[in-house]
Amino acid sequence: MNFGAVDWILTVAYLLASVALGIWAKRYVENLAGYMVAGRKVKVSLGIATFVATELGTVTYVYYGELGYVAGFSGFIIGILAMVAYAVVGRTGFIIENLRRLRVMTIPEYYELRYSRRVRLLGGIILFLGGVLNMGIFLKFDGIFLSEVMGFGPGALAIIMTVMLLIVVSYTVLGGMFSIVITDFMQFVVLAFGMLVATIAVLWRVDLTSISTAVSTTLGASGVDPFANPRFGWTFVLWIFVSSVAAGALWQPGTSKALASESPEVAKKMFFWTGLTFAGRAMIPMFWGVAALAFFGPGLTSAAAMPKLLGAVVPPGFLGLLVAGMLAASMSTYSAYLLAWSSVLARDVIGCTRPRDFSESTTVAITRFVAGVIGVFLLVFGLWYQIPDTAFQYLYVTGAMYTSGALGCVAAGMYWRKANKIGAYASLIMGAVAPAGFLVLEKSRDALPAWLTFISDVNIAGILSFFLAALGMIVGSLASQRTSPPKHLTTAEQP
Amino acid sequence: MTAGALFWLILFGIAALVFFGIALVVTIRGVGDLRDLLSSSEHRVKEP
């Protein structure tokens, strides 16, 4: 076991502080807007902290660390692509500015304003399914990370992760976005410090020359050139860039930070500056993964190599800080995702099965209940499901189930006057087909007929989803202009 | 060290500096933002 008494004290103290702070924040929740978007009063620096904390979970470190271990430096291009995509969204205000002006709380709400209530229902269902499937593997990867870093067996860690999930569910259910923003700030500070400690420890024990030698010896040109690496290539680069723009503008847990911001201008600044951190968000854990390749050599379980390195090089005492940082990262991610997906199910799915919305208090009650149910699902799914390909690609392909159709619907809805509800239906459905096909058919890759094997390539399934969604929107809208004239926002609804 | 590795390590260094630099600024300025958020919310809760 790598954990000493000081490490335990730091970790337990941190967990207790998180719970106390999260539950204390409940006093600020006055209404639905308070619960879901913190009263729309979040300023730039606090917004950046909560955004980065949401987008950096332990699972993020593990999947990027895994990519560093198996692909060397060539995976670093993902950080560059994400940075450019988010910074462009922030600088231009692409989608987020209008969404914030419209004062919506979830993205499917826009579908009702621009298309119809039924489009909102379908969009809500796809968003919820894609989002919860995406989140389903978080717990498993957190377990891998902590079991290797702390030196426990996986059995004990399943219990620790259960406790952690219960803590997050409790304060998310009670305090909503207020709890998330307040705890995220503390978690951001702790996780950034934990990352700094880990990076210094890795640089201290593994020299850069041996890292370079390990990459060239083990991976050759594919370790430094993403276009020569069979795991990546042009299809991958194009998919990840488009996907990062779509996720930047339309991934509910992240976009909700723009919706909670004080103004559209604050939302744009928040996205721009957060975007600049995204190169480091990817490259720092990937660097730890590449260092693990140099330290241990190839042959380890890819997802476990980087955590094993941190367990070996971070000194006792600091290990507690690192684990607190990782717990911080996970808790902030879980809480934001739980609120995002439970809000969508309550408002955009359950609420849309009725002609009129539920009252605010009923919506908050349903959201709280759903957040608890999702927590139970995470435990069951995370421990049972075997992910295809790398965790990074699984997360992007499940995300594409929703983001491809959403990009088609929202971008066309805002910037193309001919977009109508038929195009929206086609975009949402066709965008979900390729990723869903990949997730189902990948399990029986060998039994597929030759003409269908392309769908078992995660990169092709990912980029295809965006192409099909755009095609669905354009063809569906143009073919039905007479039968379904486009609905435009009323003057009162205009941003 | 190969040229490819050197290229990515330089980019990594810049990315890490930007990340930790923004983290430092946000940590300092975020305290004020958090105080504003809580005080404005507390004020509204107390209004009749």
Side-chain angles (χ1 to χ4, degrees), chain A residues 93-180:
Chain A
F94 178 61
I95 293 178
I96 57 163
E97 188 175 11
N98 279 346
L99 286 179
R100 175 61 187 83
R101 285 192 201 286
L102 287 166
R103 299 176 68 83
V104 294
M105 293 187 208
T106 61
I107 291 156
E109 279 184 67
Y110 177 78
Y111 300 158
E112 182 172 358
L113 291 174
R114 181 64 172 79
Y115 302 112
S116 72
R117 194 166 177 82
R118 285 180 186 275
V119 173
R120 178 180 175 184
L121 174 63
L122 177 64
I125 291 170
I126 293 173
L127 171 55
F128 178 77
L129 290 177
V132 171
L133 278 177
N134 183 275
M135 193 184 178
I137 65 162
F138 288 9
L139 199 62
K140 182 175 201 163
F141 276 73
D142 288 1
I144 292 171
F145 182 90
L146 290 171
S147 65
E148 296 297 338
V149 169
M150 296 166 84
F152 287 123
L157 271 142
I159 296 168
I160 291 175
M161 298 311 294
T162 306
V163 171
M164 198 177 89
L165 195 65
L166 286 173
I167 290 168
V168 177
V169 169
S170 66
Y171 75 68
T172 306
V173 163
L174 290 172
M177 187 60 95
F178 259 108
S179 290
I180 289 172

Coordinates of all heavy atoms in Angstrom, one line a residue, chain A residues 93-180:
Chain A
G93 N -18.3 33.3 -30.1 CA -19.6 33.2 -29.5 C -20.5 32.2 -30.2 O -21.8 32.2 -30.0
F94 N -19.9 31.4 -31.1 CA -20.7 30.4 -31.9 C -21.7 29.6 -31.1 O -21.2 28.9 -30.2 CB -19.7 29.5 -32.6 CG -20.3 28.4 -33.5 CD1 -21.1 28.7 -34.6 CD2 -20.1 27.1 -33.2 CE1 -21.7 27.7 -35.3 CE2 -20.6 26.1 -34.0 CZ -21.4 26.4 -35.0
I95 N -22.9 29.8 -31.3 CA -24.0 29.1 -30.6 C -24.2 29.6 -29.1 O -25.3 29.9 -28.7 CB -23.9 27.6 -30.6 CG1 -24.1 27.1 -32.1 CG2 -24.9 26.9 -29.7 CD1 -23.9 25.6 -32.3
I96 N -23.1 29.6 -28.3 CA -23.3 29.8 -26.9 C -23.8 31.2 -26.6 O -24.6 31.4 -25.7 CB -22.0 29.6 -26.1 CG1 -20.9 30.5 -26.7 CG2 -21.6 28.1 -26.1 CD1 -19.7 30.6 -25.7
E97 N -23.4 32.2 -27.4 CA -23.9 33.6 -27.2 C -25.4 33.7 -27.3 O -26.1 34.2 -26.5 CB -23.2 34.5 -28.2 CG -23.5 36.0 -27.8 CD -22.7 36.9 -28.7 OE1 -22.1 36.5 -29.7 OE2 -22.7 38.1 -28.4
N98 N -25.9 33.1 -28.4 CA -27.4 33.1 -28.6 C -28.1 32.3 -27.6 O -29.2 32.7 -27.1 CB -27.7 32.6 -30.0 CG -27.5 33.6 -31.1 OD1 -27.4 34.8 -30.8 ND2 -27.5 33.2 -32.3
L99 N -27.5 31.1 -27.2 CA -28.2 30.3 -26.2 C -28.3 31.1 -24.9 O -29.3 31.0 -24.2 CB -27.5 29.0 -25.9 CG -27.6 27.9 -27.0 CD1 -26.7 26.7 -26.6 CD2 -29.0 27.5 -27.2
R100 N -27.3 31.8 -24.5 CA -27.3 32.6 -23.3 C -28.3 33.7 -23.3 O -29.0 34.0 -22.4 CB -25.9 33.1 -22.9 CG -25.8 34.0 -21.7 CD -26.2 33.3 -20.4 NE -26.3 34.2 -19.3 CZ -27.4 35.0 -19.1 NH1 -28.4 35.0 -19.9 NH2 -27.3 35.8 -18.0
R101 N -28.3 34.4 -24.5 CA -29.3 35.5 -24.6 C -30.7 35.0 -24.5 O -31.6 35.7 -24.1 CB -29.1 36.2 -26.0 CG -27.9 37.0 -26.1 CD -27.9 37.9 -27.3 NE -26.6 38.4 -27.7 CZ -25.9 39.3 -27.0 NH1 -26.5 39.9 -26.0 NH2 -24.7 39.7 -27.4
L102 N -31.0 33.8 -25.0 CA -32.3 33.2 -25.0 C -32.7 32.8 -23.6 O -33.9 32.4 -23.4 CB -32.4 32.0 -25.9 CG -32.4 32.3 -27.4 CD1 -32.2 31.1 -28.3 CD2 -33.8 33.0 -27.8
R103 N -31.8 32.7 -22.7 CA -32.0 32.4 -21.2 C -32.6 31.0 -21.1 O -33.4 30.7 -20.2 CB -32.9 33.4 -20.6 CG -32.3 34.8 -20.6 CD -33.3 35.8 -20.0 NE -33.5 35.7 -18.6 CZ -32.7 36.1 -17.7 NH1 -31.6 36.8 -18.0 NH2 -33.0 35.9 -16.4
V104 N -32.2 30.0 -22.0 CA -32.6 28.7 -21.8 C -31.8 28.0 -20.7 O -30.7 28.5 -20.3 CB -32.4 27.8 -23.1 CG1 -33.4 28.4 -24.2 CG2 -31.0 27.9 -23.6
M105 N -32.3 26.9 -20.1 CA -31.5 26.2 -19.1 C -30.9 24.9 -19.6 O -29.9 24.4 -19.1 CB -32.4 25.9 -17.9 CG -32.8 27.2 -17.2 SD -33.7 26.8 -15.6 CE -34.7 28.2 -15.5
T106 N -31.5 24.3 -20.6 CA -31.0 23.1 -21.3 C -31.0 23.4 -22.8 O -31.8 24.1 -23.3 CB -31.8 21.9 -20.9 OG1 -33.1 22.0 -21.4 CG2 -31.8 21.6 -19.5
I107 N -30.1 22.6 -23.5 CA -30.1 22.9 -24.9 C -31.4 22.4 -25.7 O -31.8 23.1 -26.6 CB -28.8 22.1 -25.5 CG1 -27.6 22.9 -25.0 CG2 -28.8 22.1 -27.0 CD1 -26.4 22.1 -25.0
P108 N -32.0 21.3 -25.3 CA -33.2 20.9 -26.0 C -34.4 22.0 -25.9 O -35.3 22.0 -26.7 CB -33.6 19.6 -25.3 CG -32.4 19.0 -24.8 CD -31.5 20.2 -24.4
E109 N -34.3 22.8 -24.9 CA -35.3 23.9 -24.8 C -35.3 24.7 -26.1 O -36.3 25.2 -26.5 CB -35.0 24.9 -23.6 CG -35.4 24.4 -22.3 CD -35.2 25.4 -21.2 OE1 -35.8 26.5 -21.3 OE2 -34.3 25.1 -20.4
Y110 N -34.1 24.9 -26.7 CA -34.0 25.6 -27.9 C -34.7 24.9 -29.0 O -35.3 25.6 -29.9 CB -32.5 25.8 -28.3 CG -32.3 26.5 -29.7 CD1 -32.4 27.9 -29.8 CD2 -32.1 25.8 -30.8 CE1 -32.3 28.5 -31.0 CE2 -32.0 26.4 -32.0 CZ -32.1 27.8 -32.1 OH -32.0 28.4 -33.3
Y111 N -34.7 23.6 -29.0 CA -35.5 22.8 -30.1 C -36.9 23.2 -30.1 O -37.6 23.3 -31.1 CB -35.3 21.3 -29.9 CG -33.9 20.8 -29.9 CD1 -33.7 19.5 -29.3 CD2 -32.9 21.4 -30.5 CE1 -32.4 19.0 -29.3 CE2 -31.6 20.9 -30.5 CZ -31.4 19.7 -29.9 OH -30.1 19.1 -29.9
E112 N -37.5 23.4 -28.9 CA -38.9 23.7 -28.8 C -39.2 25.2 -29.3 O -40.1 25.4 -30.0 CB -39.4 23.6 -27.4 CG -40.9 23.9 -27.3 CD -41.6 23.6 -25.9 OE1 -40.8 23.1 -25.1 OE2 -42.8 23.9 -25.8
L113 N -38.3 26.1 -29.0 CA -38.4 27.5 -29.4 C -38.3 27.5 -31.0 O -39.1 28.2 -31.6 CB -37.3 28.3 -28.8 CG -37.4 28.6 -27.3 CD1 -36.1 29.4 -26.9 CD2 -38.6 29.4 -27.0
R114 N -37.4 26.8 -31.6 CA -37.1 26.9 -33.0 C -37.9 25.9 -33.9 O -38.2 26.2 -35.0 CB -35.6 26.8 -33.2 CG -35.1 26.9 -34.7 CD -35.4 28.3 -35.2 NE -34.8 28.5 -36.5 CZ -35.2 28.0 -37.7 NH1 -36.4 27.3 -37.7 NH2 -34.6 28.2 -38.8
Y115 N -38.2 24.7 -33.3 CA -38.8 23.7 -34.1 C -40.2 23.3 -33.5 O -41.2 23.8 -33.9 CB -37.9 22.5 -34.2 CG -36.5 22.8 -34.8 CD1 -35.4 22.7 -34.0 CD2 -36.4 23.2 -36.1 CE1 -34.1 23.0 -34.6 CE2 -35.2 23.5 -36.7 CZ -34.1 23.4 -35.9 OH -32.8 23.7 -36.5
S116 N -40.2 22.4 -32.5 CA -41.4 22.0 -31.9 C -41.2 21.3 -30.6 O -40.0 20.9 -30.3 CB -42.2 21.0 -32.8 OG -41.6 19.8 -32.8
R117 N -42.2 21.1 -29.8 CA -42.1 20.4 -28.5 C -41.6 18.9 -28.7 O -40.9 18.4 -27.9 CB -43.4 20.5 -27.7 CG -43.3 20.2 -26.2 CD -44.5 20.6 -25.5 NE -44.5 20.3 -24.1 CZ -43.9 21.0 -23.1 NH1 -43.2 22.0 -23.5 NH2 -44.0 20.6 -21.9
R118 N -42.1 18.3 -29.8 CA -41.8 16.9 -30.0 C -40.3 16.8 -30.4 O -39.6 15.8 -30.1 CB -42.6 16.3 -31.1 CG -44.0 16.0 -30.6 CD -44.9 15.4 -31.7 NE -46.3 15.2 -31.3 CZ -46.7 14.2 -30.6 NH1 -45.9 13.2 -30.2 NH2 -48.0 14.1 -30.2
V119 N -39.8 17.8 -31.1 CA -38.3 17.7 -31.4 C -37.5 17.8 -30.1 O -36.5 17.1 -29.9 CB -37.9 18.9 -32.4 CG1 -36.4 18.9 -32.6 CG2 -38.6 18.7 -33.8
R120 N -38.0 18.7 -29.2 CA -37.4 18.8 -27.9 C -37.4 17.5 -27.2 O -36.4 17.1 -26.6 CB -38.1 19.9 -27.1 CG -37.5 20.1 -25.7 CD -38.2 21.1 -24.9 NE -37.8 21.2 -23.6 CZ -38.3 22.0 -22.7 NH1 -39.3 22.8 -23.0 NH2 -37.8 22.1 -21.4
L121 N -38.5 16.8 -27.3 CA -38.6 15.5 -26.6 C -37.6 14.5 -27.2 O -36.8 13.8 -26.4 CB -40.0 14.9 -26.7 CG -40.3 13.5 -26.2 CD1 -40.0 13.4 -24.7 CD2 -41.7 13.0 -26.5
L122 N -37.5 14.4 -28.5 CA -36.6 13.5 -29.2 C -35.1 13.9 -28.9 O -34.3 13.0 -28.5 CB -36.8 13.4 -30.7 CG -35.8 12.6 -31.5 CD1 -36.0 11.1 -31.1 CD2 -36.0 12.8 -33.0
G123 N -34.9 15.2 -29.0 CA -33.5 15.7 -28.7 C -33.1 15.4 -27.2 O -32.0 15.0 -26.9
G124 N -34.1 15.5 -26.3 CA -33.8 15.3 -24.9 C -33.5 13.8 -24.7 O -32.6 13.5 -23.9
I125 N -34.2 12.9 -25.3 CA -34.0 11.5 -25.2 C -32.6 11.1 -25.6 O -31.8 10.4 -24.9 CB -35.1 10.6 -25.9 CG1 -36.4 10.8 -25.2 CG2 -34.7 9.2 -26.0 CD1 -37.6 10.2 -26.0
I126 N -32.2 11.6 -26.8 CA -30.9 11.3 -27.4 C -29.8 11.9 -26.5 O -28.8 11.2 -26.2 CB -30.8 11.7 -28.9 CG1 -31.8 10.9 -29.7 CG2 -29.4 11.6 -29.4 CD1 -31.9 11.4 -31.2
L127 N -30.0 13.1 -26.1 CA -29.0 13.8 -25.3 C -28.8 13.0 -24.0 O -27.7 12.7 -23.5 CB -29.4 15.2 -25.0 CG -28.6 16.0 -23.9 CD1 -27.1 16.0 -24.2 CD2 -29.1 17.4 -23.8
F128 N -29.9 12.6 -23.4 CA -29.9 11.9 -22.1 C -29.2 10.5 -22.3 O -28.3 10.2 -21.5 CB -31.3 11.7 -21.5 CG -31.3 10.9 -20.2 CD1 -30.9 11.5 -19.1 CD2 -31.7 9.5 -20.2 CE1 -30.9 10.8 -17.9 CE2 -31.7 8.8 -19.0 CZ -31.3 9.4 -17.9
L129 N -29.6 9.8 -23.3 CA -28.9 8.4 -23.5 C -27.4 8.6 -23.8 O -26.6 7.8 -23.2 CB -29.6 7.7 -24.7 CG -31.1 7.2 -24.4 CD1 -31.7 6.6 -25.6 CD2 -31.1 6.2 -23.2
G130 N -27.1 9.5 -24.8 CA -25.7 9.7 -25.1 C -24.9 10.1 -23.9 O -23.8 9.6 -23.6
G131 N -25.5 11.0 -23.1 CA -24.8 11.6 -21.9 C -24.6 10.6 -20.8 O -23.5 10.4 -20.3
V132 N -25.6 9.8 -20.6 CA -25.5 8.8 -19.5 C -24.6 7.6 -19.9 O -23.8 7.1 -19.1 CB -26.9 8.3 -19.0 CG1 -26.7 7.2 -18.0 CG2 -27.6 9.5 -18.3
L133 N -24.6 7.2 -21.2 CA -23.7 6.2 -21.6 C -22.3 6.7 -21.5 O -21.4 5.9 -21.2 CB -24.0 5.8 -23.1 CG -25.1 4.8 -23.3 CD1 -25.3 4.6 -24.8 CD2 -24.8 3.5 -22.7
N134 N -22.1 7.9 -21.9 CA -20.8 8.6 -21.9 C -20.2 8.5 -20.4 O -19.1 8.2 -20.2 CB -20.9 10.0 -22.4 CG -19.6 10.7 -22.5 OD1 -19.2 11.3 -21.5 ND2 -19.0 10.7 -23.6
M135 N -21.1 8.9 -19.5 CA -20.7 9.0 -18.1 C -20.5 7.6 -17.5 O -19.9 7.5 -16.4 CB -21.7 9.8 -17.4 CG -21.4 10.3 -16.0 SD -22.8 11.1 -15.2 CE -22.1 11.5 -13.6
G136 N -21.1 6.6 -18.1 CA -21.1 5.2 -17.5 C -19.8 4.6 -17.2 O -19.7 3.8 -16.2
I137 N -18.7 5.0 -17.9 CA -17.5 4.4 -17.6 C -16.6 5.2 -16.6 O -15.5 4.8 -16.3 CB -16.6 4.2 -18.9 CG1 -16.3 5.5 -19.6 CG2 -17.4 3.3 -19.9 CD1 -15.1 5.3 -20.6
F138 N -17.1 6.4 -16.2 CA -16.3 7.2 -15.3 C -15.8 6.5 -14.1 O -14.7 6.5 -13.7 CB -17.0 8.5 -14.9 CG -17.2 9.5 -16.0 CD1 -16.9 9.2 -17.3 CD2 -17.7 10.7 -15.7 CE1 -17.1 10.1 -18.3 CE2 -17.9 11.7 -16.7 CZ -17.6 11.4 -18.0
L139 N -16.8 5.8 -13.4 CA -16.5 5.2 -12.1 C -15.5 4.1 -12.3 O -14.6 4.0 -11.4 CB -17.8 4.6 -11.6 CG -17.8 4.4 -10.1 CD1 -17.6 5.6 -9.3 CD2 -19.1 3.7 -9.7
K140 N -15.6 3.3 -13.4 CA -14.6 2.2 -13.6 C -13.2 2.8 -13.7 O -12.3 2.2 -13.1 CB -15.0 1.5 -14.9 CG -14.2 0.3 -15.2 CD -14.7 -0.4 -16.4 CE -14.2 -1.8 -16.4 NZ -15.0 -2.7 -17.3
F141 N -13.0 3.8 -14.5 CA -11.7 4.4 -14.7 C -11.2 5.1 -13.4 O -10.0 5.1 -13.2 CB -11.7 5.3 -15.9 CG -11.5 4.5 -17.2 CD1 -12.5 3.7 -17.6 CD2 -10.3 4.4 -17.8 CE1 -12.4 3.0 -18.8 CE2 -10.1 3.7 -18.9 CZ -11.2 2.9 -19.4
D142 N -12.1 5.7 -12.7 CA -11.6 6.2 -11.4 C -11.1 5.1 -10.5 O -10.1 5.2 -9.8 CB -12.8 6.9 -10.7 CG -13.2 8.2 -11.4 OD1 -12.5 8.6 -12.4 OD2 -14.1 8.9 -10.9
G143 N -11.8 4.0 -10.5 CA -11.4 2.8 -9.7 C -10.0 2.3 -10.1 O -9.1 2.1 -9.3
I144 N -9.8 2.3 -11.5 CA -8.4 1.8 -11.9 C -7.4 2.8 -11.4 O -6.3 2.4 -10.9 CB -8.4 1.8 -13.5 CG1 -9.3 0.7 -14.0 CG2 -7.0 1.6 -14.0 CD1 -9.5 0.7 -15.5
F145 N -7.6 4.1 -11.6 CA -6.6 5.1 -11.2 C -6.3 5.0 -9.7 O -5.2 4.9 -9.3 CB -7.2 6.5 -11.5 CG -6.2 7.6 -11.1 CD1 -5.3 8.0 -12.1 CD2 -6.2 8.1 -9.8 CE1 -4.4 9.0 -11.7 CE2 -5.2 9.1 -9.5 CZ -4.3 9.5 -10.5
L146 N -7.4 5.0 -8.9 CA -7.1 5.0 -7.4 C -6.5 3.7 -6.9 O -5.7 3.7 -6.0 CB -8.4 5.3 -6.7 CG -8.9 6.8 -6.9 CD1 -10.2 7.0 -6.3 CD2 -7.9 7.8 -6.2
S147 N -6.9 2.6 -7.5 CA -6.4 1.3 -7.0 C -4.9 1.2 -7.3 O -4.1 0.7 -6.5 CB -7.1 0.1 -7.7 OG -6.8 0.1 -9.1
E148 N -4.4 1.8 -8.4 CA -3.0 1.8 -8.8 C -2.2 2.8 -8.0 O -1.1 2.5 -7.5 CB -2.8 2.0 -10.3 CG -3.4 1.0 -11.2 CD -2.7 -0.4 -10.9 OE1 -1.6 -0.5 -10.4 OE2 -3.4 -1.4 -11.3
V149 N -2.8 4.0 -7.8 CA -2.0 5.1 -7.1 C -1.9 4.8 -5.6 O -0.9 4.9 -5.0 CB -2.7 6.4 -7.3 CG1 -2.1 7.5 -6.4 CG2 -2.5 6.9 -8.8
M150 N -3.0 4.3 -5.0 CA -3.0 4.1 -3.6 C -2.5 2.8 -3.2 O -2.1 2.6 -2.0 CB -4.5 4.3 -3.0 CG -5.0 5.7 -3.2 SD -6.8 5.7 -2.9 CE -6.9 5.9 -1.2
G151 N -2.5 1.8 -4.1 CA -1.9 0.5 -3.8 C -2.9 -0.4 -3.2 O -2.5 -1.4 -2.6
F152 N -4.2 -0.2 -3.3 CA -5.2 -1.1 -2.8 C -5.6 -2.1 -3.8 O -5.4 -2.0 -5.0 CB -6.5 -0.3 -2.4 CG -6.3 0.5 -1.1 CD1 -6.5 1.8 -1.2 CD2 -5.9 -0.1 0.1 CE1 -6.4 2.6 0.0 CE2 -5.8 0.6 1.2 CZ -6.0 2.0 1.1
G153 N -6.4 -3.1 -3.4 CA -7.0 -4.0 -4.3 C -8.3 -3.4 -4.9 O -8.8 -2.4 -4.3
P154 N -8.7 -3.8 -6.1 CA -9.9 -3.2 -6.7 C -11.2 -3.4 -5.9 O -12.1 -2.5 -5.9 CB -10.0 -4.0 -8.0 CG -9.0 -5.0 -8.1 CD -8.1 -4.8 -6.9
G155 N -11.3 -4.4 -5.1 CA -12.5 -4.6 -4.2 C -12.7 -3.5 -3.3 O -13.8 -2.9 -3.1
A156 N -11.6 -3.1 -2.6 CA -11.7 -2.0 -1.6 C -12.1 -0.7 -2.3 O -12.8 0.2 -1.7 CB -10.4 -1.8 -0.8
L157 N -11.6 -0.5 -3.5 CA -11.8 0.7 -4.2 C -13.3 0.9 -4.7 O -13.8 2.0 -4.8 CB -10.8 1.0 -5.3 CG -9.7 1.7 -4.6 CD1 -8.4 1.3 -5.0 CD2 -9.9 3.2 -4.6
A158 N -13.9 -0.3 -5.0 CA -15.3 -0.2 -5.4 C -16.1 0.4 -4.2 O -17.0 1.2 -4.5 CB -15.8 -1.6 -5.7
I159 N -15.7 0.1 -3.0 CA -16.4 0.7 -1.8 C -16.1 2.2 -1.7 O -17.0 3.0 -1.5 CB -15.9 -0.1 -0.5 CG1 -16.4 -1.5 -0.6 CG2 -16.5 0.6 0.7 CD1 -15.8 -2.4 0.4
I160 N -14.8 2.5 -1.9 CA -14.5 3.9 -1.8 C -15.2 4.8 -2.9 O -15.7 5.8 -2.6 CB -12.9 4.1 -2.0 CG1 -12.2 3.6 -0.8 CG2 -12.6 5.6 -2.2 CD1 -10.7 3.6 -0.9
M161 N -15.3 4.2 -4.1 CA -16.0 4.9 -5.2 C -17.5 5.1 -4.9 O -18.1 6.1 -5.2 CB -15.7 4.2 -6.5 CG -14.3 4.2 -7.0 SD -13.4 5.7 -6.9 CE -14.2 6.6 -8.1
T162 N -18.0 4.0 -4.3 CA -19.4 4.1 -3.9 C -19.7 5.2 -2.9 O -20.6 6.0 -3.0 CB -19.9 2.8 -3.3 OG1 -19.6 1.7 -4.2 CG2 -21.4 2.8 -3.1
V163 N -18.8 5.3 -1.9 CA -18.9 6.4 -0.9 C -18.8 7.7 -1.6 O -19.5 8.7 -1.3 CB -17.8 6.2 0.2 CG1 -17.8 7.4 1.1 CG2 -18.0 4.9 0.9
M164 N -17.8 7.8 -2.5 CA -17.6 9.1 -3.2 C -18.8 9.5 -4.0 O -19.3 10.7 -4.0 CB -16.4 9.0 -4.1 CG -15.8 10.3 -4.5 SD -14.4 10.1 -5.5 CE -15.1 10.0 -7.1
L165 N -19.4 8.5 -4.7 CA -20.6 8.8 -5.5 C -21.8 9.3 -4.6 O -22.5 10.2 -4.9 CB -21.0 7.6 -6.3 CG -21.9 7.8 -7.4 CD1 -21.3 8.7 -8.5 CD2 -22.3 6.5 -8.0
L166 N -21.9 8.6 -3.5 CA -23.0 9.0 -2.5 C -22.8 10.4 -2.1 O -23.8 11.2 -2.0 CB -23.0 8.0 -1.3 CG -23.5 6.6 -1.6 CD1 -23.3 5.7 -0.4 CD2 -25.0 6.7 -2.0
I167 N -21.6 10.8 -1.8 CA -21.3 12.2 -1.4 C -21.7 13.2 -2.4 O -22.4 14.1 -2.2 CB -19.8 12.3 -1.0 CG1 -19.5 11.5 0.3 CG2 -19.4 13.8 -0.9 CD1 -18.0 11.4 0.5
V168 N -21.3 12.9 -3.7 CA -21.6 13.8 -4.8 C -23.1 13.9 -5.0 O -23.6 15.0 -5.2 CB -20.8 13.4 -6.1 CG1 -21.2 14.3 -7.2 CG2 -19.3 13.4 -5.8
V169 N -23.7 12.7 -5.1 CA -25.2 12.7 -5.3 C -25.9 13.5 -4.2 O -26.7 14.3 -4.5 CB -25.7 11.3 -5.3 CG1 -27.2 11.3 -5.3 CG2 -25.2 10.6 -6.6
S170 N -25.4 13.4 -3.0 CA -26.1 14.1 -1.9 C -26.0 15.6 -2.1 O -27.0 16.3 -2.0 CB -25.6 13.7 -0.5 OG -24.2 14.1 -0.4
Y171 N -24.9 16.1 -2.4 CA -24.8 17.6 -2.5 C -25.4 18.1 -3.8 O -25.9 19.3 -3.8 CB -23.5 18.2 -2.1 CG -22.3 18.1 -3.0 CD1 -22.2 18.8 -4.2 CD2 -21.2 17.4 -2.6 CE1 -21.1 18.7 -5.0 CE2 -20.1 17.3 -3.5 CZ -20.1 18.0 -4.6 OH -19.0 17.9 -5.5
T172 N -25.3 17.3 -4.9 CA -25.8 17.8 -6.1 C -27.3 17.8 -6.0 O -28.0 18.7 -6.5 CB -25.4 16.8 -7.3 OG1 -24.0 16.7 -7.3 CG2 -25.9 17.3 -8.6
V173 N -27.9 16.7 -5.4 CA -29.4 16.6 -5.3 C -29.9 17.8 -4.4 O -30.9 18.4 -4.8 CB -29.7 15.3 -4.6 CG1 -31.1 15.3 -4.1 CG2 -29.6 14.2 -5.6
L174 N -29.2 18.2 -3.4 CA -29.7 19.2 -2.5 C -29.4 20.6 -3.0 O -30.3 21.5 -3.1 CB -29.0 19.1 -1.1 CG -29.4 17.9 -0.3 CD1 -28.6 17.8 0.9 CD2 -30.9 18.0 0.1
G175 N -28.2 20.9 -3.5 CA -27.8 22.3 -3.8 C -27.8 22.6 -5.3 O -27.6 23.8 -5.6
G176 N -27.9 21.7 -6.2 CA -27.9 22.0 -7.6 C -26.7 22.8 -8.0 O -25.6 22.5 -7.5
M177 N -26.9 23.7 -9.0 CA -25.7 24.4 -9.6 C -25.0 25.3 -8.6 O -23.8 25.5 -8.7 CB -26.2 25.3 -10.8 CG -25.1 25.9 -11.6 SD -24.0 24.7 -12.3 CE -24.7 24.6 -14.0
F178 N -25.7 25.8 -7.6 CA -25.0 26.6 -6.5 C -23.9 25.8 -5.9 O -22.8 26.2 -5.7 CB -26.0 27.1 -5.5 CG -26.3 28.6 -5.8 CD1 -27.6 28.9 -6.2 CD2 -25.4 29.6 -5.5 CE1 -27.9 30.2 -6.5 CE2 -25.7 30.9 -5.8 CZ -27.0 31.2 -6.3
S179 N -24.3 24.5 -5.4 CA -23.3 23.7 -4.8 C -22.2 23.3 -5.7 O -21.0 23.3 -5.3 CB -24.0 22.3 -4.4 OG -24.9 22.6 -3.3
I180 N -22.6 23.1 -7.0 CA -21.5 22.7 -8.0 C -20.5 23.9 -8.2 O -19.3 23.6 -8.1 CB -22.2 22.4 -9.3 CG1 -22.9 21.0 -9.2 CG2 -21.2 22.3 -10.4 CD1 -23.8 20.7 -10.4

